[in-house]
Amino acid sequence: MKPESLMMSYGYKPELSEGAIKCPIFQTSTFVFKNAEEGKAFFEVAYGLRKQNEGEELGLIYSRINNPDLEVLENRLTLWDEAEECAVFESGMAAISTVLLEFLKPGDLILTSNPVYGGSDHFIKKILPKFGIHVAMFKVGQSKEEVIKIVEKSGHADKLAMVYIETPANPTNDLIDIEGSKAIAKHFSTKDKEVYLAVDNTYMGPLWQQPLKNGADLVLYSATKYIGGHSDVIAGACLGSSELLKRVKGLRTFLGNMASPNTGWLLLRSLETLKVRMDAQAFGATKVAAFLNAHPAVEKVYYIGNITEKDGEQFKIKQRQCLTNGAMISFDVKGGEKEAFKFLNSLQLIKLAVSLGGTESLAEHPATMTHADVDTALKQELGVSEKMIRLSVGVENHEDLIYDISQALDKI
Ligand SMILES: Cc1ncc(COP(=O)(O)O)c(C=O)c1O
């Protein structure tokens, strides 16, 4: 069956919860063992002290290690990406930072695409170096050979431990080649050391791009965005093979940044409508993009749907890895910050707020908001300019969205 058909039932047994049709919120810190032998057995499995017996499941111990709301949620999330295992976190940044800390150690090198979300950019460029981790960067459009040279020139090629990419890039919608990035990771892998590829898939969510199928080892989400989808919860997720997820969950246990039972429950509720929400958002985005493309006050539109054969490599990447055109649109207004702010301040239905992927449409100014912390020269080079607006299309009627955008553009 399709994942959307299983989002109401998969992994939950009503008979274990008084017949409740919905998984209740297991608002409990700890779980009572039937006897001491059971407690011992559960800990042996949780701490990897012995191999699990055939059919033996990890018993419930303590909500920092596991909890029914998180387990059902993690199992359901694996269905979209066809992942072996999932770990959920209290934020997207918690998922990202835990993965980076687990797979990198002092002296290692991380190779990252540019641009990435401002928070990830800060963690990679400003926090990881404090732990002796080196950072190399590449940009959209650079060939495999060019990127290999960047790694070699860093002087730490033998220490490359992770390739970290975000695609489509926030806020430019530039596409980074997942298969190509895996090829670079493989190029630097040896028989003693595998270089892993991690992909932040927040911008597309699990329906519109499935990086594990293109060769990624780990996929990361800010579940605050499409997965949560109602702008009322902060959460994150990481998916991949059981082997890698055991390591991720191990560090999560000791950092203590797992999601709470309440967050797990909210996301279970969100997952039931994930497909209908995302379908509506992608449809609305096609209409909004068509309107912006034709508007005289708009200089340029950054939308995956606008990538065509004449864009060469970007089009080939889109064909390989994007299942739809998404619902994120950035555009440059004619003018600069003054005109962009005038537009934002004139919106009536669309909210002026950061974040994305929720039911309500949001607009923001990346250069001074989400990407305020990114190096100014780099922002200019990447096209994150003062005239750029980022729009996350929600589930509203597209005619109302277009009316709102149109009246706000008229105010410039
Ligand atoms: C692409 C991307 N990755 C990661 C994050 C961080 O997620 P969170 O805010 O849930 O910590 C964000 C947040 O905006 C994002 O846009």
Side-chain angles (χ1 to χ4, degrees):
M1 287 189 191
K2 303 277 189 299
E4 62 267 30
S5 308
L6 298 173
M7 285 302 119
M8 283 62 76
S9 56
Y10 188 74
Y12 171 67
K13 294 191 187 110
E15 61 272 25
L16 297 180
S17 297
E18 307 279 3
I21 191 161
K22 293 292 163 193
C23 179
I25 307 178
F26 285 86
Q27 191 66 44
T28 183
S29 58
T30 195
F31 296 87
V32 178
F33 303 132
K34 285 197 196 91
N35 50 46
E37 288 76 11
E38 186 184 72
K40 179 182 173 188
F42 287 1
F43 267 95
E44 283 171 346
V45 173
Y47 283 6
L49 302 177
R50 65 167 168 83
K51 278 226 157 90
Q52 267 162 274
N53 298 322
E54 191 71 24
E56 184 181 13
E57 283 181 14
L58 175 60
L60 291 163
I61 298 178
Y62 184 67
S63 287
R64 179 158 48 76
I65 300 172
N66 54 0
N67 173 289
D69 294 292
L70 299 198
E71 287 191 348
V72 175
L73 171 63
E74 285 167 348
N75 290 340
R76 287 187 191 169
L77 275 172
T78 61
L79 298 179
W80 298 99
D81 278 289
E82 294 181 25
E84 280 177 17
E85 217 165 308
C86 168
V88 289
F89 290 84
E90 201 55 38
S91 71
M93 280 315 301
I96 292 166
S97 54
T98 302
V99 161
L100 296 176
L101 292 175
E102 175 57 29
F103 294 98
L104 296 166
K105 59 181 186 316
D108 277 352
L109 174 72
I110 178 172
L111 171 70
T112 172
S113 61
N114 257 319
V116 293
Y117 164 65
S120 314
D121 186 84
H122 182 93
F123 192 82
I124 291 172
K125 294 179 192 160
K126 304 209 171 116
I127 312 268
L128 288 181
K130 288 194 208 168
F131 295 91
I133 291 155
H134 307 283
V135 182
M137 289 171 268
F138 71 100
K139 288 191 295 257
V140 66
Q142 287 186 302
S143 69
K144 184 181 161 196
E145 292 67 34
E146 284 173 306
V147 180
I148 287 173
K149 270 210 187 89
I150 291 173
V151 175
E152 283 166 352
K153 277 199 188 142
S154 74
H156 308 284
D158 58 328
K159 295 284 187 193
L160 182 68
M162 173 164 279
V163 179
Y164 178 92
I165 64 170
E166 189 180 305
T167 182
N170 174 5
T172 54
N173 267 327
D174 285 325
L175 303 180
I176 308 284
D177 186 354
I178 301 172
E179 285 173 17
S181 301
K182 179 66 182 178
I184 292 161
K186 273 202 179 130
H187 178 89
F188 289 99
S189 294
T190 61
K191 69 173 177 0
D192 307 319
K193 179 202 71 162
E194 188 170 349
V195 180
Y196 297 116
L197 171 64
V199 181
D200 182 335
N201 197 33
T202 300
Y203 234 55
M204 291 298 257
L207 266 80
W208 299 337
Q209 184 171 263
Q210 290 154 353
L212 296 176
K213 295 181 190 160
N214 296 96
D217 298 295
L218 293 159
V219 56
L220 290 152
Y221 292 105
S222 165
T224 312
K225 310 298 189 288
Y226 289 104
I227 293 172
H230 295 74
S231 306
D232 55 7
V233 64
I234 297 276
C238 171
L239 295 101
S241 68
S242 293
E243 188 194 336
L244 298 188
L245 264 289
K246 292 257 173 322
R247 289 180 58 181
V248 174
K249 284 183 177 171
L251 186 57
R252 183 184 69 172
T253 293
F254 298 105
L255 291 176
N257 54 7
M258 70 299 153
S260 71
N262 191 56
T263 295
W265 182 86
L266 276 169
L267 292 180
L268 282 177
R269 192 178 162 114
S270 292
L271 280 187
E272 298 191 8
T273 55
L274 184 64
K275 184 163 189 311
V276 285
R277 280 187 283 114
M278 290 183 76
D279 282 350
Q281 288 172 270
F283 173 74
T286 60
K287 302 288 182 190
V288 169
F291 174 78
L292 290 169
N293 283 339
H295 199 286
V298 174
E299 196 173 286
K300 184 171 175 187
V301 180
Y302 307 76
Y303 171 57
I304 298 171
N306 286 358
I307 301 173
T308 60
E309 244 166 325
K310 71 171 175 21
D311 295 300
E313 198 52 33
Q314 283 285 295
F315 183 70
K316 285 189 198 145
I317 300 173
K318 166 173 147 167
Q319 297 289 89
R320 274 203 299 275
Q321 64 196 40
C322 301
L323 303 172
T324 73
N325 294 319
M328 292 301 297
I329 305 170
S330 292
F331 61 97
D332 293 339
V333 291
K334 284 188 183 151
E337 184 180 291
K338 186 168 149 268
E339 287 73 16
F341 279 16
K342 184 79 191 164
F343 171 82
L344 288 170
N345 292 337
S346 306
L347 290 168
Q348 292 170 0
L349 175 67
I350 299 170
K351 303 287 178 295
L352 168 52
V354 296
S355 201
L356 59 102
T359 43
E360 65 278 272
S361 295
L362 302 178
E364 65 115 4
H365 189 247
T368 59
M369 298 173 191
T370 42
H371 294 65
D373 195 35
V374 178
D375 179 68
T376 312
L378 183 63
K379 268 193 287 206
Q380 288 302 330
E381 198 184 326
L382 299 169
V384 184
S385 72
E386 292 176 343
K387 54 190 167 181
M388 180 185 265
I389 304 281
R390 189 188 78 178
L391 199 60
S392 167
V393 178
V395 300
E396 302 92 338
N397 185 297
H398 67 267
E399 287 173 5
D400 294 333
L401 291 176
I402 289 170
Y403 168 80
D404 195 23
I405 294 168
S406 172
Q407 66 78 25
L409 285 171
D410 288 346
K411 303 270 165 42
I412 295 179

